[in-house]
Amino acid sequence: MKTKFSKLALIAAIGLAAAGTSYAHEDYSEAGTYHWLSHVSESKSAPTANQQASFGYAATKNADREITLASGSKYLNVTRLETVKINVGGKSVVWTFDTLGTAPFPLSKIVPGADGITVYVTENPSYQGN
């Protein structure tokens, strides 16, 4: 009985030691501090810069639609995750509205000089619950 318990205790100790040191190990180059957080941040599942952009990102694919905003335009309506070619003030950009939520924001955040135009983002129906 004592031998079984000793073996189980040894297996448990080895398992805990391996699990604990896989992310938090001492690094003498950092004055002996634990830097497990850097291991987590280096994970392949970390979000990309595009995924972290608040208003979306410049697209490399073809636009779903094209919108030309005349001078005096006050708003632009788009759908979240939609890719749109926007023509405004002699400038043109193809933009994917991969936004963090659906809060309105100034178009000037993505097209410099497009002052006074508010972008309204609606949720993509493909991602709404039934």
Side-chain angles (χ1 to χ4, degrees):
M1 175 82 169
K2 188 174 183 179
T3 306
K4 278 187 175 182
F5 179 73
S6 297
K7 287 181 183 178
L8 286 175
L10 179 62
I11 291 170
I14 291 172
L16 286 173
T21 60
S22 64
Y23 286 108
H25 61 86
E26 201 160 342
D27 181 357
Y28 295 102
S29 67
E30 294 179 4
T33 60
Y34 288 98
H35 67 264
W36 62 270
L37 190 56
S38 68
H39 289 284
V40 173
S41 67
E42 293 168 0
S43 168
K44 291 181 182 177
S45 63
T48 65
N50 283 352
Q51 292 169 330
Q52 291 179 333
S54 300
F55 308 113
Y57 49 88
T60 56
K61 68 177 193 170
N62 293 333
D64 299 326
R65 63 183 172 127
E66 184 173 347
I67 300 171
T68 300
L69 297 169
S71 65
S73 293
K74 297 292 180 194
Y75 62 91
L76 169 63
N77 292 318
V78 295
T79 302
R80 191 165 176 242
L81 301 175
E82 179 180 28
T83 300
V84 178
K85 181 176 182 181
I86 304 167
N87 304 307
V88 59
K91 298 177 185 176
S92 180
V93 65
V94 178
W95 197 262
T96 298
F97 289 91
D98 189 358
T99 59
L100 300 173
T102 57
F105 63 90
L107 183 59
S108 60
K109 294 281 188 182
I110 58 175
V111 181
D115 300 320
I117 302 173
T118 302
V119 178
Y120 293 95
V121 183
T122 60
E123 187 57 65
N124 190 318
S126 300
Y127 298 99
Q128 291 178 337
N130 292 328

